[in-house]
Amino acid sequence: MVVRIYIVCLFFMLYQTQALAAEWSGDVSMQWRSFLRTPLAQNPQQSQNNFSLAIQPEFYHEWDNGDQSLTFEIFSRIGDVDAQRNHNDIRELSWLKVYDGWELKAGISKVYWGVTESQHLVDVINQTDFVENLDGEDKLGQPMIQASVESDWGVWDFFVLPGFRERSFSGIKGRPRFSPLVDVDQVRYESSKKDQNIDLAMRWFYMLGDWEIGLSQFNGTSREPVFSPGFKNGQAVLVPTYLQMRQSGLDIQSTSEDWLWKLELISRNWRAKNFVALTAGFEYSFIGIQESDADLGVVLEYLYDSRGQQATSFFQNDVMTGLRLVLNDEQSTEALLGVIVDVDSGESFISLEASRRLGDAWRLELELRGFRGVNKTGLLNSLKRDDYLQLDLAYYF
């Protein structure tokens, strides 16, 4: 179905390109991902090296003196040893109309809310593309109607979200992945309308001097599944269930000279219970270190979940420390090293992201993920041998 939509849209875009002034952009990338340890004994199908290709073209066209526009962006990955990771997704297929003082967008789109570095509690509109990355920053396109109103009291965004997107999970050959395998064929919903439940959301955003303040509300199907044990073909599996939730969120960011203060706070009601979670911290930047053009940022964040060990997230009482190096050179070289440590168990998650532009059209990216001191009864246990090093070489057009 998705492929047919691609083809129809592609012909339409090509026609538009010929008939009207339209813009194409995007990137094609090669990815090599190497796992540093052998798989768990119960996962002999997994390998240590994966190679894949990805393409993400975008079409943009505007008319009506720029008051109307159409954006189409697709993502495709092929060649990975994990069939579940070879996927296609429409990240964006939206029409935007700008009126006097407000805007209307309809179609498939992505929305990002959040300010902190280690996790994004308030970012609940789009589903996570979990096979692309563990960090939750890759998102699937979400059908939506969005109205944005600008006023002296800030920007008000209202969302109607028809059609739910299930989270993607690695297949039997995929790494990193949970063990037992997540069986998406047995997916369950709390809502009787299943994936056809219409979700509603709104956000208010206001800038007050150096302060950026966001208040959000979401009512609908949680993008985060909970898991229950099940069986398939005699094998143990994890069955994902998507609950209904009401979530209120607050995000604040404040800039004061070389300090950047951040807070994300949520209160969520699901399973007839409430819980609170937050991420709070700062980033301090040393500008022009050693009399160079380079900046070095020190990041410190605290992650809390009132459910404690019953939390469905990895982080309940954790501290994240990090270093961000930005060389401010022509090649836009930058790197971020972060370590999240569980204060109670001592488990740690290590992340390194670095990138550098090569010439005018190429970019090289390096990514390292690692797990240390994993508790045998913790959520990270099935990922403890899935440390990996990843290189991406992308060509931008």
Side-chain angles (χ1 to χ4, degrees), residues 119 121 124 222 224 226 243-249 265-278 304-308 310-313 315-316:
Q119 65 174 343
L121 293 168
V124 292
S222 171
E224 175 195 359
V226 295
L243 304 173
Q244 291 295 291
M245 76 171 192
R246 296 191 304 275
Q247 176 170 306
S248 302
L265 171 67
I266 63 167
S267 174
R268 181 184 299 179
N269 179 282
W270 69 358
R271 289 175 163 171
K273 295 182 179 178
N274 290 305
F275 73 88
V276 174
L278 70 82
Y304 170 76
D305 191 311
S306 65
R307 295 171 295 177
Q310 304 302 315
T312 52
S313 74
F315 313 117
Q316 316 87 35

Side-chain angles (χ1 to χ4, degrees), residues 276-287:
V276 174
L278 70 82
T279 307
F282 66 82
E283 179 170 351
Y284 180 81
S285 296
F286 296 91
I287 307 298

Side-chain angles (χ1 to χ4, degrees), residues 74-179:
I74 60 175
F75 174 83
S76 295
R77 180 172 297 282
I78 58 173
D80 197 280
V81 296
D82 179 18
Q84 296 297 107
R85 196 161 187 259
N86 296 321
H87 64 301
N88 307 302
D89 185 56
I90 299 177
R91 301 296 207 218
E92 189 93 26
L93 179 54
S94 62
W95 164 77
L96 175 67
K97 170 67 175 176
V98 179
Y99 297 91
D100 185 17
W102 70 289
E103 298 178 355
L104 179 65
K105 178 189 284 188
I108 298 171
S109 189
K110 292 193 296 182
V111 174
Y112 174 72
W113 298 343
V115 294
T116 56
E117 193 67 50
S118 52
Q119 65 174 343
H120 311 293
L121 293 168
V122 301
D123 189 29
V124 292
I125 296 293
N126 291 84
Q127 180 59 272
T128 299
D129 192 351
F130 205 58
V131 295
E132 274 303 302
N133 207 311
L134 291 174
D135 63 9
E137 296 183 356
D138 290 87
K139 298 291 184 178
L140 301 174
Q142 169 65 46
M144 67 174 67
I145 299 173
Q146 176 185 1
S148 300
V149 181
E150 293 188 22
S151 72
D152 293 338
W153 291 96
V155 179
W156 299 80
D157 288 308
F158 302 92
F159 299 87
V160 178
L161 306 167
F164 177 76
R165 304 292 310 279
E166 294 176 18
R167 182 168 296 191
S168 55
F169 292 99
S170 298
I172 194 166
K173 294 182 179 180
R175 297 179 75 183
R177 74 163 169 84
F178 296 114
S179 184

Side-chain angles (χ1 to χ4, degrees), residues 44-91:
Q45 305 89 345
Q46 295 178 328
S47 61
Q48 286 192 251
N49 291 283
N50 293 337
F51 179 82
S52 62
L53 300 173
I55 181 170
Q56 189 160 314
E58 178 183 309
F59 171 88
Y60 176 81
H61 173 63
E62 65 177 30
W63 67 97
D64 192 15
N65 294 320
D67 287 341
Q68 297 191 66
S69 62
L70 179 69
T71 304
F72 177 49
E73 179 184 350
I74 60 175
F75 174 83
S76 295
R77 180 172 297 282
I78 58 173
D80 197 280
V81 296
D82 179 18
Q84 296 297 107
R85 196 161 187 259
N86 296 321
H87 64 301
N88 307 302
D89 185 56
I90 299 177
R91 301 296 207 218

